[in-house]
Amino acid sequence: MMKVYTGLDVLVNDKEVQKEFKGNVALLCHNASIDYTFTHAALRFKELFGSRFVKLFGPQHGFATDVQDNMVETNHITHPYFNIPVYSLYSETRIPTDDMLDGIDHLFVDLQDVGCRMYTYIYTLTLLLEKCSNKDIQIVVLDRPNPINGIDVEGNVLDLEFESFIGRHPIPVRHAMTIGEVALMHQKFWAKEKAQLKVIKMQHWQRNMCFEDTKLPWLLPSPNLARAESAFTFPATVLFEGTILSEGRGTTQSLEIVGHPKMEPFSFYENHLSQVVNKSKLKGFTLRPITFLPTFQKHANQVCGGVQIHVTNKSTYKPWRVGQLLMRELFHYLGEDFKWKKPPYEYNYTQKPIDIINGTDKLRHWVENNESIEMLDSFENLKDYKLQLDEIKIY
């Protein structure tokens, strides 16, 4: 396979593309916004646009991607090197204000997404598109790979009754879009008014690629996804943010492991879980019993028993199903020690966090009622979504 070049790489290397942008530019980016030489996008913008590069924006976790948790906001600052404002879109507002947008002609978006509905960067983008729909500002998305490929669609489509900042639109858990395609999907199917949108496509990216196939460097797009492999476990383990169980934050294996202080991992796995997994006929992964010690967040400084998800075949692995199966088994194994997390979660103060994460309350009932793995098929109604996806694909 040929080396992939991101939208940022294309912009940096193509002077004709650069000439399209005449006025002042701003950049929404984060830690993973680098080109293939590991040079940060902000440095490239300083080189390309000089004094016309007037503002920076950061999503959840901040421009520096150093803020750990949900509902921990980032301050606005003046950057000490670039000497321009850095506005946080995870602050007192998640929508840029008129003052923040003043004086901008082209607002570039260069964010590495992880291909999962519960990841907030795509909603920062769609809120930006909505805000700029009546402004003379062009939104330019510098496209990046979907790290868990652009083919496999999995999970239930969000019920808009459970809309939140981790689920604004009717898409499945594993949506198979690049971030540029999310912008195009928004404009075609969800936007009341259209913004001025341009997507600078990648070169050589193919829909069947996982991130390692791209030959691009992986930098963590959020503080707990240090490895590209973690993007594949994330659609399973993110579910546990809706519980009191640890999803590994505070360890070096965050979002690849799940556990609890009252869990004895080897007996749980050998006497029960391995048989359940075999009976489920789910493939492409191995669960390994482990013991771990979170240093912060849930169960900080308490030894936890748990399991680690190891993906052995990305083409057959179904992370959403694996996560739901683990949730069901741990709910009944831990009994009274298993608890659903209480609100608030992502600024929703009324609905259960697990229902916000799942985008429905039906999956929580499936877990509590100990229903069959085959029933998960009934939660997936993907025909209409796949037809929409076919209409906006650009690769």
Side-chain angles (χ1 to χ4, degrees):
M1 291 183 177
M2 297 183 70
K3 178 182 174 64
V4 170
Y5 293 95
T6 67
L8 174 62
D9 294 326
V10 172
L11 175 67
V12 168
N13 292 322
D14 193 328
K15 294 189 183 302
E16 292 303 312
V17 173
Q18 296 165 22
K19 290 177 183 177
E20 296 179 28
F21 309 107
K22 304 293 187 184
N24 288 341
V25 304
L27 175 63
L28 167 58
C29 62
H30 60 172
N31 175 72
S33 305
I34 57 165
D35 68 11
Y36 67 91
T37 71
F38 291 87
T39 303
H40 195 275
L43 288 168
R44 289 302 192 197
F45 270 54
K46 187 174 185 289
E47 294 170 6
L48 293 175
F49 301 112
S51 62
R52 293 193 291 124
F53 178 32
V54 295
K55 294 180 182 181
L56 280 161
F57 292 84
Q60 184 183 12
H61 308 296
F63 165 75
T65 318
D66 58 348
V67 179
Q68 277 285 336
D69 210 352
N70 297 324
M71 294 179 65
V72 179
E73 297 173 348
T74 310
N75 294 326
H76 313 299
I77 63 168
T78 298
H79 197 277
Y81 175 72
F82 297 105
N83 199 30
I84 58 176
V86 182
Y87 294 113
S88 170
L89 297 183
Y90 199 79
S91 56
E92 76 283 354
T93 181
R94 285 171 295 289
I95 303 169
T97 65
D98 291 339
D99 286 344
M100 292 177 186
L101 295 170
D102 187 47
I104 297 171
D105 299 295
H106 310 281
L107 204 167
F108 289 78
V109 178
D110 187 24
L111 297 172
Q112 178 62 59
D113 183 48
V114 300
C116 181
R117 187 182 68 216
M118 299 81 147
Y119 210 64
T120 63
Y121 299 157
I122 59 175
Y123 308 121
T124 297
L125 170 61
T126 61
L127 287 169
L128 177 62
L129 287 165
E130 290 164 17
K131 176 66 177 182
C132 292
S133 63
N134 59 359
K135 292 183 178 294
D136 190 19
I137 299 174
Q138 184 186 39
I139 306 302
V140 185
V141 179
L142 302 173
D143 213 4
R144 287 188 174 269
N146 182 323
I148 58 176
N149 84 44
I151 293 176
D152 293 322
V153 176
E154 187 192 6
N156 60 302
V157 172
L158 175 78
D159 178 347
L160 290 176
E161 181 183 340
F162 297 91
E163 177 185 344
S164 74
F165 194 52
I166 59 162
R168 294 193 67 228
H169 308 297
I171 59 176
V173 173
R174 194 171 171 186
H175 54 66
M177 290 184 282
T178 68
I179 194 166
E181 289 175 332
V182 171
L184 295 169
M185 178 80 83
H186 178 272
Q187 295 292 276
K188 186 170 181 63
F189 294 109
W190 309 325
K192 294 178 181 177
E193 296 181 66
K194 289 182 169 52
Q196 299 177 50
L197 171 66
K198 179 181 178 68
V199 177
I200 297 183
K201 292 173 59 176
M202 294 176 281
Q203 293 178 349
H204 307 144
W205 187 73
Q206 299 173 27
R207 303 203 77 85
N208 64 343
M209 285 181 168
C210 298
F211 194 84
E212 62 267 27
D213 300 321
T214 68
K215 302 179 184 176
L216 290 167
W218 176 269
L219 273 73
L220 54 83
S222 56
N224 290 289
L225 286 175
R227 307 194 312 148
E229 291 87 345
S230 304
F232 264 95
T233 56
F234 180 80
T237 56
V238 69
L239 305 176
F240 289 87
E241 288 188 8
T243 75
I244 65 161
L245 277 70
S246 169
E247 61 277 5
R249 295 174 191 271
T251 75
T252 57
Q253 299 167 310
S254 56
L255 294 162
E256 297 180 19
I257 62 179
V258 175
H260 186 277
K262 292 293 181 70
M263 183 174 169
E264 200 300 299
F266 292 94
S267 60
F268 173 59
Y269 179 79
E270 292 294 332
N271 299 332
H272 179 74
L273 187 60
S274 60
Q275 295 94 307
V276 171
V277 170
N278 288 337
K279 185 178 178 182
S280 75
K281 298 181 180 178
L282 292 172
K283 299 178 180 178
F285 70 103
T286 295
L287 297 177
R288 181 173 65 94
I290 59 169
T291 302
F292 62 94
L293 181 70
T295 58
F296 58 83
Q297 229 238 18
K298 297 176 187 173
H299 309 301
N301 301 312
Q302 297 182 67
V303 174
C304 293
V307 293
Q308 180 169 3
I309 304 172
H310 295 274
V311 182
T312 56
N313 186 330
K314 293 184 173 73
S315 64
T316 59
Y317 168 64
K318 302 293 183 186
W320 175 74
R321 280 173 168 72
V322 171
Q324 298 295 348
L325 176 69
L326 272 176
M327 186 75 76
R328 185 190 70 182
E329 296 310 306
L330 287 167
F331 178 90
H332 294 283
Y333 170 76
L334 288 168
E336 292 183 357
D337 291 316
F338 183 109
K339 290 182 173 57
W340 300 113
K341 190 174 182 179
K342 295 180 180 179
Y345 182 81
E346 278 302 343
Y347 302 94
N348 184 313
Y349 291 83
T350 56
Q351 293 171 307
K352 291 182 183 294
I354 187 61
D355 296 344
I356 299 167
I357 293 166
N358 274 325
T360 179
D361 58 2
K362 294 177 181 177
L363 283 160
R364 173 170 53 84
H365 298 317
W366 175 86
V367 166
E368 292 171 344
N369 295 332
N370 202 15
E371 296 182 288
S372 72
I373 193 75
E374 290 77 19
M375 273 198 67
L376 288 178
D377 293 341
S378 67
F379 295 106
E380 289 187 307
N381 185 7
L382 300 173
K383 181 180 178 181
D384 289 345
Y385 173 75
K386 287 180 177 179
L387 290 172
Q388 291 177 332
L389 181 59
D390 285 339
E391 287 193 45
I392 58 89
K393 284 178 181 175
I394 55 176
Y395 302 95

